[in-house]
Amino acid sequence: MTTLRESHDALLERALLLDAEDPLSAYRERFIGTETDLSYLDGNSLGRPLKRTAEDINTFIHSGWGGRLIRGWDEEWLELPQAIGDQLGRAVLGAAAGQTIIADSTTVVLYKLIRAALAAVKDPARTEIVLDTDNFPTDRYLVEGIAREEGLTLRWIDADPDSGVTLDQVREAVGPATAVVLLSHVAYRSGFLADLPGITAAVHDAGALAVWDLCHSAGSVEIALDAAGVDFAAGCTYKYLNGGPGSPAFAYVNARHLPGLAQPIWGWMGRRDAFEMGPGYEPAPGIRGFLSGTPAIFGMIAMRGTLDLLEEVGMAAVREKSLRLTAYALELHDAWLAPAGVRLATPRAPEQRGSHITVDHPSFREVTAALWDKDVIPDFRAPAGIRIGLSPLSTGFAELHRGMAAVRDLLPRH
């Protein structure tokens, strides 16, 4: 019978081998803090900063902000939301230029997109918004508020918290009354990867529009928005895109919807001539019309390094590394955690997983606090889950091994 120590040694040897064979392992050195023994398993909540980012921000403060001062707006900053948006579309989203812009928070961007999508639906019989019971709270709260504002009906898909919304569930939920469907590409709790192309097609077959939340997929899985015919999408940039705490979100609007599309938050930066300061509002043409207020330049400067890195590496290689990391996490769970009563709350099928797994145990709220004290950083999600978030470019296999071993060692003994 294999002892725990023997299992630990064999799994450590496997981690070291996986690191040695990892074609992306050298990229870890580009991130701040990866040389320490801290095990960071929360890249799905907040990504590590690149070393380059510190240099970029320092240069911006001294040369851009400090040197050019207000001239920077005319020389570069005003164009950053669309320039960075186009790079994000090219490197990560599978989106042609002119459809993606950096603006606001995810909450505000989603509000704009959902309201714009509803305004684009001309059939008065379409009075329902479809969403699911286990989507991220912001998404649910927003849609509940919009439905109240607009006098619309919510049609709920009862999602399995251990997986997510399936194509068959969407087909059952949509119909002649559906206006808009809002779903997450990767479920925030379980890490379930939804069938974005298939679901989008099913929504269109029903005559409705699809809005996707890409917060847990952008930068960790391959996305092809244009190819799938997605209507609208939003996502944050502080997870796998490493823009830093509170970095601005992005909005994607398929080019076929841009002519005449109206978003509800009119601000000076989204006006055709922002500096005319004149009466009345005429939106800027194209995706720029989705701006409202002054762009958040710091977050976009911080994002540049990761976008350059993702263009260099390619999302196919990032996705392959993500799958290897989550597969190894499942190995560690099966060897160490399952025998201690921990339950896997993530799909086992690789094609159904994003870049994090969730494991459940009644003690995990207390265990998480103890882990943080030991420099092992997952995150806790009520009622009893720990999410093991694996950012492919900055997470190593030995780092994952250390973190999961700490979880095992802190579990209550019976």
Side-chain angles (χ1 to χ4, degrees):
M1 181 177 178
T2 303
T3 66
L4 185 60
R5 174 59 59 188
E6 289 169 338
S7 170
H8 183 282
D9 290 344
L11 288 166
L12 177 57
E13 288 177 8
R14 176 155 169 71
L16 295 174
L17 179 63
L18 287 167
D19 276 328
E21 294 177 343
D22 175 18
L24 304 186
S25 62
Y27 290 101
R28 289 194 72 235
E29 299 173 3
R30 302 193 188 187
F31 291 85
I32 293 174
T34 52
E35 73 283 357
T36 71
D37 287 334
L38 183 145
S39 178
Y40 191 56
L41 306 178
D42 206 8
N44 59 315
S45 288
L46 178 66
R48 288 183 182 269
L50 282 161
K51 294 174 181 176
R52 171 189 156 172
T53 302
E55 300 171 2
D56 287 349
I57 292 294
N58 184 62
T59 299
F60 170 71
I61 290 172
H62 287 91
S63 300
W65 179 12
R68 303 309 297 162
L69 294 168
I70 201 168
R71 293 173 292 186
W73 286 111
D74 290 329
E75 294 168 353
E76 180 185 24
W77 306 338
L78 284 173
E79 303 307 317
L80 275 184
Q82 191 162 345
I84 300 292
D86 283 346
Q87 185 180 17
L88 174 63
R90 181 175 67 245
V92 176
L93 303 180
Q99 301 176 104
T100 308
I101 199 152
I102 310 297
D104 309 307
S105 67
T106 306
T107 303
V108 174
V109 166
L110 276 172
Y111 180 81
K112 289 179 176 182
L113 292 176
I114 296 166
R115 287 291 303 270
L118 288 168
V121 175
K122 304 305 182 185
D123 183 352
R126 294 189 175 274
T127 58
E128 292 184 351
I129 306 176
V130 174
L131 68 164
D132 70 279
T133 55
D134 202 50
N135 207 339
F136 191 76
T138 275
D139 302 56
R140 291 183 275 115
Y141 303 158
L142 268 177
V143 174
E144 289 174 18
I146 290 171
R148 180 178 297 180
E149 290 173 354
E150 297 293 302
L152 301 173
T153 300
L154 301 180
R155 180 173 291 276
W156 294 91
I157 294 174
D158 190 11
D160 181 349
D162 288 358
S163 56
V165 178
T166 67
L167 175 57
D168 286 342
Q169 286 180 307
V170 172
R171 285 174 173 156
E172 291 175 6
V174 297
T178 308
V180 170
V181 178
L182 170 66
L183 298 171
S184 283
H185 189 196
V186 170
Y188 85 100
R189 193 190 306 272
S190 69
F192 174 80
L193 178 63
D195 179 1
L196 183 147
I199 289 174
T200 300
V203 171
H204 290 168
D205 287 345
L209 298 175
V211 181
W212 285 96
D213 181 332
L214 307 179
C215 283
H216 284 85
S217 59
S220 67
V221 304
E222 293 178 275
I223 303 171
L225 296 182
D226 286 356
V230 166
D231 301 295
F232 306 92
C236 62
T237 63
Y238 47 78
K239 301 180 189 299
Y240 301 108
L241 299 176
N242 310 101
S247 59
F250 63 86
Y252 164 89
V253 179
N254 193 293
R256 68 178 178 273
H257 293 303
L258 283 171
L261 192 68
Q263 63 98 347
I265 304 179
W266 294 359
W268 77 299
M269 195 56 67
R271 194 175 184 271
R272 176 178 287 275
D273 184 349
F275 290 93
E276 183 184 31
M277 308 294 181
Y281 181 82
E282 182 182 359
I287 192 66
R288 192 166 186 88
F290 267 75
L291 290 178
S292 298
T294 305
I297 302 302
F298 265 100
M300 285 185 273
I301 297 293
M303 213 186 307
R304 275 175 158 170
T306 295
L307 292 178
D308 287 349
L309 196 55
L310 290 171
E311 284 202 281
E312 176 185 337
V313 173
M315 282 307 304
V318 170
R319 174 61 172 161
E320 186 179 346
K321 170 76 176 288
S322 169
L323 289 172
R324 290 197 303 271
L325 281 165
T326 54
Y328 182 60
L330 293 184
E331 284 185 52
L332 296 174
H333 165 268
D334 292 346
W336 295 343
L337 306 187
V342 175
R343 186 180 69 87
L344 180 67
T346 291
R348 285 188 176 274
E351 67 277 8
Q352 293 182 348
R353 288 200 307 270
S355 204
H356 70 269
I357 72 162
T358 298
V359 289
D360 287 352
H361 191 276
S363 70
F364 272 168
R365 186 184 294 273
E366 295 75 21
V367 165
T368 302
L371 287 168
W372 281 34
D373 287 340
K374 294 179 177 292
D375 274 353
V376 174
I377 317 293
D379 70 359
F380 176 77
R381 283 292 177 265
I386 280 180
R387 294 192 306 179
I388 308 297
L390 305 168
S391 189
L393 291 175
S394 61
T395 307
F397 292 91
E399 176 184 15
L400 172 57
H401 179 278
R402 288 195 305 274
M404 295 286 274
V407 175
R408 176 202 63 198
D409 293 344
L410 285 169
L411 283 169
R413 303 295 179 187
H414 297 290

